[in-house]
Amino acid sequence: MPLCTWLKAGTTAAAVILATATAATAAPTPTPSTARASAVVTLRYDDSRAGGWEAAITAGVASWNANVANVRLVEAAPGTRAEIVIVATTGWPQATLGPVRPGRQVRVELGSQAVAQGYDKTRIAAHELGHSLGLPDTKPGPCSQLMSGSSAGTSCVNAVPNATERSRVESAYANGAASLVRTDGRILVDAP
């Protein structure tokens, strides 16, 4: 076989091997779900001082995690700093208005006075977490609006944010933590 045939065959084989190796080791092109996952803002919460509210907090967190894609609430490991500090109080529920950023801190107070008057604990927890995520009250409002809070009445047990509320949180955390603006630190008290 002539030398030029051997060189062509060898060059072709080397090109095939190089292309295969490059394709096998190259980083995959990000899919929309991979790109979205990288922009998720994880916020830790500490409910170690919210005795009696554990089930309501778990349900409220689950509601937000199921309804927004770019922010995730997770329980802080013991002894670590949390962005959302949740405490049980005897007064009316209240919270610092966010959106909270990683490394910053807001406070949620889950008040037993609202429960004593007949308001649903899970709705209260989800509502107050909504404040931490940057949502103000929308009072008066219907039960279908989580952020209508106490104005929806004691029979309202809806703990799921509606489409507008979900959209506002998604927008606040749209580009990860880099897009978040400084909060004004207002405390929103949810008394009727």
Side-chain angles (χ1 to χ4, degrees), residues 12-56:
T12 303
V16 169
I17 290 169
L18 184 58
T20 305
T22 302
T25 59
T29 303
T31 60
S33 62
T34 305
R36 193 176 90 209
S38 66
V40 172
V41 175
T42 300
L43 300 172
R44 296 168 308 234
Y45 67 91
D46 174 6
D47 64 353
S48 62
R49 296 185 294 155
W53 287 85
E54 296 86 356

Side-chain angles (χ1 to χ4, degrees), residues 26-122:
T29 303
T31 60
S33 62
T34 305
R36 193 176 90 209
S38 66
V40 172
V41 175
T42 300
L43 300 172
R44 296 168 308 234
Y45 67 91
D46 174 6
D47 64 353
S48 62
R49 296 185 294 155
W53 287 85
E54 296 86 356
I57 293 166
T58 299
V61 164
S63 177
W64 279 109
N65 285 343
N67 285 287
V68 293
N70 59 1
V71 63
R72 184 111 182 117
L73 302 174
V74 298
E75 189 169 7
T80 61
R81 180 172 162 78
E83 284 82 14
I84 304 170
V85 176
I86 306 171
V87 298
T89 68
T90 57
W92 274 96
Q94 57 185 321
T96 310
L97 181 61
V100 64
R101 295 188 283 181
R104 301 282 177 113
Q105 197 169 66
V106 295
R107 182 177 169 99
V108 168
E109 295 184 9
L110 300 176
S112 62
Q113 190 172 355
V115 177
Q117 291 193 17
Y119 292 96
D120 181 70
K121 280 181 138 180
T122 300

